[in-house]
Amino acid sequence: MSNSSSPTINPPSKPPLSSKFTPKITHKLFPSSIPSKPTKKLPLKIQSLHHPDPQNPRKTLNLISILKSLPDWADEVQEKGMRKKRLLYNQKNWAEHRSSLRHVRHLLSSLSSRVIVSLLPPVVFFTSVAVFISVYNTAVTMNLLPGFFPVLRASSLPYQLTAPALALLLVFRTEASYSRYEEGRKAWTKVIARTSDIAREVIACVDDFNDEVIKRSLLQYIMSFPIALKCHLLYDSDIRRDLQSLLDADDLAVVLSSKHRPQCIIQFISESLQLLNVEEQKRNILDSKLSCFHEGIGICEQIVGTPIPLSYTRLTSRFLVLWHLTLPVILWDDCHWIVVPATFISAASLFCIEEVGVLIEEPFPMLALDELCKVVCNDIQDNIAIQKTIQMHITAKRKTHHREHTPNGWPASSGDKTW
């Protein structure tokens, strides 16, 4: 054993071992040095298969990851579309919306539609099931399989009886989602209208020079409320970026530290109203109009926090899945290989209706909230800018009207008029 170990441990190509090697420890080093490579590699191999190292960027490809790649990609495209900013329509958009070429344009843009992209996983799956059943039935018919394999066929009568139920289920699902969309749209319409109304009252009623600082801050808080509510409702919103151009740094810090930022803005507005040097009746009127803000917060939070009953959504999904899993078996006798395109068209159509209902169930990503906030802020700033000009014009007309009439109510002579 010493003869076999001499050439192995003391080769000329390994100077670090040959310089420190002694015959006394030869038998201790020999058994541990030989299996050092496999014992070092084996745990690394097991770890990469069962416990992947987060520091290692390489991922083990298996069947599950390959099958999940398409749904993950479709979900990523869908979420990007949900975060896309919506635009308010103008005359040009409406003309394009009702154009006679809209059908061709919509067909050509199908591949870029996030609704259609999100339907790729179920449509591909059910079409693949139809192909498998068609191949199986064809093999059985051509005696390519043993005789005890039956042809998968069934009567179409159950489908004729359940088709109206599926249609009503999809219609009610979409209608319930659209009612939530309409409720959210109306709530935001009231919030935007009341924001403009309160700002107009403040601009018109507060004319004391000592209240200019409070008035400016109050208008900033009023313009900030729709933006804070929008960021409160939309996921992945940057409220710091949206409000840093409206609020002062100290006010923004207080808002960011608050747990409920729209309520914090309302508190700023209410406290500022109490400091204004206006009549108590006007102050109470302005303060009472803040109830619309509280109402808008309550409606929006209720819509976001309470979806359509989950049992209804699950029932619709299960009904659609079972329908399309058995559709090729039902249609085989009448269609044969046409069941493949028939299943594709049916899955693409019915799942598209269900997908639209799911998308508009959360209405606020579908609304042009950024544009609405931008429009109301621009309108308020424009009213602030032209306030002095309008006051000067109204005052000039009043003076002119007063000069044109004598104190006793009779019109002055033409020579007394001042133009």
Side-chain angles (χ1 to χ4, degrees):
M1 188 171 180
S2 60
N3 295 333
S4 61
S5 62
S6 309
T8 305
I9 297 182
N10 296 324
S13 59
K14 296 184 178 179
L17 291 177
S18 60
S19 61
K20 296 182 180 181
F21 178 77
T22 57
K24 276 187 177 180
I25 56 174
T26 302
H27 299 285
K28 296 181 181 179
L29 290 177
F30 181 77
S32 61
S33 61
I34 296 300
S36 60
K37 291 186 178 179
T39 53
K40 211 171 186 180
K41 286 185 178 179
L42 185 58
L44 290 177
K45 187 176 181 182
I46 295 175
Q47 185 180 5
S48 63
L49 289 176
H50 301 284
H51 302 285
D53 187 6
Q55 303 296 331
N56 189 3
R58 295 179 299 178
K59 295 182 180 179
T60 305
L61 293 179
N62 50 32
L63 182 60
I64 297 178
S65 62
I66 294 175
L67 293 177
K68 287 183 63 178
S69 60
L70 181 60
D72 292 342
W73 171 76
D75 292 340
E76 183 180 357
V77 173
Q78 183 181 18
E79 291 303 320
K80 285 183 179 179
M82 293 289 288
R83 293 192 294 268
K84 183 180 179 181
K85 292 184 179 181
R86 297 330 191 255
L87 300 177
L88 292 175
Y89 266 38
N90 52 27
Q91 187 58 38
K92 180 180 178 181
N93 299 127
W94 281 113
E96 184 180 3
H97 180 71
R98 55 177 175 261
S99 171
S100 58
L101 296 176
R102 64 183 182 275
H103 305 292
V104 178
R105 185 177 67 251
H106 295 163
L107 181 62
L108 295 178
S109 61
S110 298
L111 296 179
S112 61
S113 172
R114 61 189 177 88
V115 176
I116 295 178
V117 170
S118 63
L119 294 178
L120 284 179
V123 171
V124 170
F125 172 75
F126 291 116
T127 306
S128 302
V129 172
V131 171
F132 174 78
I133 293 177
S134 300
V135 171
Y136 170 81
N137 285 343
T138 302
V140 173
T141 305
M142 298 177 64
N143 298 322
L144 298 178
L145 295 176
F148 59 84
F149 283 95
V151 177
L152 298 179
R153 59 165 62 97
S155 174
S156 62
L157 182 60
Y159 265 51
Q160 296 176 10
L161 295 176
T162 57
L166 179 60
L168 290 175
L169 193 64
L170 289 175
V171 169
F172 290 157
R173 177 68 172 81
T174 309
E175 183 65 23
S177 298
Y178 182 77
S179 64
R180 292 167 56 87
Y181 174 86
E182 186 67 13
E183 186 179 4
R185 187 189 64 83
K186 289 181 178 179
W188 262 90
T189 301
K190 291 181 180 179
V191 168
I192 295 299
R194 187 50 57 93
T195 300
S196 299
D197 186 25
I198 295 177
R200 178 186 58 82
E201 291 287 343
V202 171
I203 293 173
C205 296
V206 182
D207 53 0
D208 192 343
F209 179 76
N210 297 325
D211 290 339
E212 284 296 325
V213 177
I214 300 178
K215 177 181 178 181
R216 180 180 63 83
S217 300
L218 179 57
L219 292 174
Q220 290 176 348
Y221 302 147
I222 294 173
M223 289 186 289
S224 301
F225 175 77
I227 299 176
L229 181 59
K230 182 259 300 183
C231 295
H232 182 68
L233 299 175
L234 296 182
Y235 173 74
D236 200 21
S237 296
D238 191 354
I239 188 172
R240 181 187 296 273
R241 179 196 61 194
D242 294 341
L243 290 181
Q244 64 182 359
S245 60
L246 288 176
L247 297 179
D248 297 334
D250 51 349
D251 294 339
L252 181 59
V254 175
V255 173
L256 293 178
S257 63
S258 175
K259 294 182 178 179
H260 199 293
R261 286 148 184 180
Q263 293 284 4
C264 181
I265 296 292
I266 294 178
Q267 189 66 24
F268 269 110
I269 297 174
S270 180
E271 293 294 335
S272 299
L273 288 176
Q274 301 302 321
L275 297 177
L276 290 178
N277 187 19
V278 295
E279 299 178 3
E280 189 67 23
Q281 183 179 2
K282 291 183 179 180
R283 182 184 293 108
N284 293 335
I285 292 175
L286 289 173
D287 194 60
S288 64
K289 291 184 177 182
L290 297 180
S291 61
C292 184
F293 287 170
H294 292 283
E295 182 181 357
I297 293 175
I299 294 175
C300 294
E301 288 182 344
Q302 182 182 9
I303 293 175
V304 172
T306 56
I308 293 176
L310 299 180
S311 58
Y312 196 92
T313 304
R314 294 178 186 136
L315 175 62
T316 307
S317 179
R318 290 163 183 164
F319 203 156
L320 283 173
V321 170
L322 294 177
W323 176 279
H324 289 92
L325 280 177
T326 56
L327 183 62
V329 178
I330 299 296
L331 298 180
W332 176 255
D333 284 339
D334 297 330
C335 301
H336 294 283
W337 272 90
I338 302 180
V339 298
V340 176
T343 303
F344 175 81
I345 295 174
S346 176
S349 303
L350 298 182
F351 276 95
C352 185
I353 297 174
E354 196 265 347
E355 182 70 18
V356 171
V358 172
L359 287 179
I360 65 176
E361 185 178 358
E362 185 186 2
F364 303 111
M366 302 288 105
L367 299 174
L369 300 186
D370 289 288
E371 289 294 319
L372 288 174
C373 295
K374 184 178 179 181
V375 167
V376 72
C377 289
N378 291 337
D379 291 343
I380 294 175
Q381 290 174 353
D382 184 63
N383 291 336
I384 296 173
I386 65 175
Q387 177 195 9
K388 298 297 183 181
T389 304
I390 293 176
Q391 286 181 348
M392 291 174 59
H393 280 274
I394 297 299
T395 304
K397 288 184 178 181
R398 183 179 180 181
K399 291 181 179 179
T400 303
H401 178 76
H402 180 72
R403 292 173 182 175
E404 288 178 352
H405 294 77
T406 58
N408 58 6
W410 292 96
S413 60
S414 58
D416 297 334
K417 292 182 179 180
T418 304
W419 300 95

